[in-house]
Amino acid sequence: MAKKIHIKHILILVPIIFLLFSYINNFNGTKNNIYLPAINADEHQYLAMSVNFFKYKTISHDDPRKIPTPSNYREPLYPIYLSLFFNLLDWKNFDYSNCVYEKNYTNCLKFHQVIITANFIIFFSIIFQILFFLRQNPVIASLCSIIAIFIVPSNTISNITPELLSASLLISFSFLFTDYIYRKKFSFLWLVSVSTIFTALILIKNIFYYFLLILILISILTYIYKFIYIIYIKNVKFYLNINFNNKLILLCFFTIIFIFPYQLRNHFYFDDSSLSKRGPEVLTLRNQFVDFSYEEIFEGFKYYSPNVFGLKDDYINSKNSEKYFKFYEQNENSYWRGYNRNYGIVISYINKKYNTNYNSVEFIEPDILMEESIEIYINNIFKQSLVSVLMFYKGINNHYSYTDKNYLKNLINDIVWYFTIFMYLYLFIYNLVKGNYKLMLLGLPTFSYLFFMSTLTHYEPRFNFTIIYFCLIYILYLYEKKKFKNQSLSFS
């Protein structure tokens, strides 16, 4: 018995030791791997926000070398998380705001090492959750952890993007949310804890706000069903207690309360209570696909397919050099370039409807931009449905264009992504059909994420890092539950 426990501990330690060595290697190699994102790119804005919050306690993506003005352009929580680590730096002798714009090895080395440390702590939390939730089988837990380490590109740790943090919180929320719903005894502390994690997830990835709306809808429909069934069919007095749909309503209510201060802040500064200004803009970008013919949409499936061993190199190069190829983002006629120009679908539609002359989405009132974007989307719902399939196909291809010699590594990575996401979807739908609602509920946040990312955005492959780790856990967790099906299901 002691020998088995000893082996178990060794197996659990393997991925942790491996990750520690990886951290030391990245930390010591920072000088050779400093990644400075393009000015005003996504990563650059998150970095600027983190410094602005540290220096001025202001949520803004302005240049942190001067006093910024508040903004609501991006989700704030990841930059706030990064800002906590800036306390480790000596700001009195050097203003590290310069490091947002300068690649200075002498002065900025510690700045980038702090960012790597912050991201590694998040990744450590992901690995620990894998080991915890799959603890029934240490071999599977260790193997899953190593796979998780493998599918993280080396530059993810040094990049300034929120995907790792949202991934860690999604794992926690999915399990704790399911446990909260199915606990026999109601716990106010448990409610507050799950609501807090849910709020944090939304403030990192606003797309999860739609999941909040899904839960409200499910709860309302459940109430209506119970009301009709109990009152009119069973003829029994309608009575509410702390049960499934009550817990959902309470969770949604507390989450809305926790989010409200940030919405109030946005209303105060911008007369707009939405969580992010990017919501209407992202939908505007998505509507650019309305301009595509059906032939062009089907061409996208070919363009976004895996480039196995570089066999598509000639095809990709030829398409990228075509001036009017709309999937190539560098072309002026691409979907990416058009959305923020007066020749874009939404802006030109608004200019024509309101007799205006907008040249950018930046100057259009968010309410008008959202209202007209929704109208265009609904009026073209069939084409947008096909585009949703294409966007999902694009998102699950981690490498749709290769420019280096790592064909085999990229191919293996793609296979892992395909297997993991499609197996997750199969198991989720299987549990839904079989009525295993507890296991279905466990995977529901991830399913909602995939659905809304495919339906409402342009879905870049990097966005999958929010859900890929949970998908791995979900597959192996259900395998363990099937293996030990006579044991009671427990999330604690």
Side-chain angles (χ1 to χ4, degrees), residues 252-293:
C252 295
F253 175 75
F254 273 80
T255 303
I256 291 172
I257 291 298
F258 292 161
I259 293 174
F260 183 71
Y262 188 69
Q263 291 185 293
L264 193 63
R265 174 255 186 196
N266 290 345
H267 180 76
F268 175 78
Y269 282 112
F270 316 108
D271 196 25
D272 177 19
S273 61
S274 60
L275 294 174
S276 170
K277 183 183 177 182
R278 295 182 67 244
E281 291 191 15
V282 168
L283 192 55
T284 304
L285 174 60
R286 171 55 184 260
N287 271 329
Q288 278 303 112
F289 289 99
V290 172
D291 189 42
F292 283 49
S293 67

Side-chain angles (χ1 to χ4, degrees), residues 175 245 380 471:
F175 279 92
N245 39 326
N380 296 274
C471 289

Side-chain angles (χ1 to χ4, degrees), residues 361-383:
V361 294
E362 182 180 355
F363 306 108
I364 303 176
E365 292 184 19
D367 290 342
I368 293 178
L369 188 61
M370 177 63 83
E371 180 182 344
E372 301 304 332
S373 294
I374 292 174
E375 182 177 324
I376 293 173
Y377 190 101
I378 293 175
N379 290 340
N380 296 274
I381 192 67
F382 182 78
K383 181 177 284 189

Side-chain angles (χ1 to χ4, degrees), residues 149-179:
I149 294 171
F150 169 77
I151 63 176
V152 178
S154 58
N155 63 352
T156 301
I157 301 299
S158 57
N159 282 6
I160 305 94
T161 55
E163 274 69 39
L164 281 179
L165 186 55
S166 60
S168 179
L169 287 175
L170 176 63
I171 296 170
S172 299
F173 172 71
S174 297
F175 279 92
L176 296 179
F177 164 65
T178 310
D179 193 27

Side-chain angles (χ1 to χ4, degrees), residues 299-327:
E299 178 77 11
F301 286 97
K302 183 178 181 181
Y303 186 69
Y304 290 133
S305 294
N307 183 16
V308 180
F309 296 107
L311 296 177
K312 272 179 50 182
D313 282 348
D314 290 340
Y315 168 79
I316 292 173
N317 291 333
S318 67
K319 289 300 181 183
N320 289 351
S321 62
E322 290 183 9
K323 182 178 180 181
Y324 294 101
F325 186 64
K326 295 178 182 178
F327 287 104

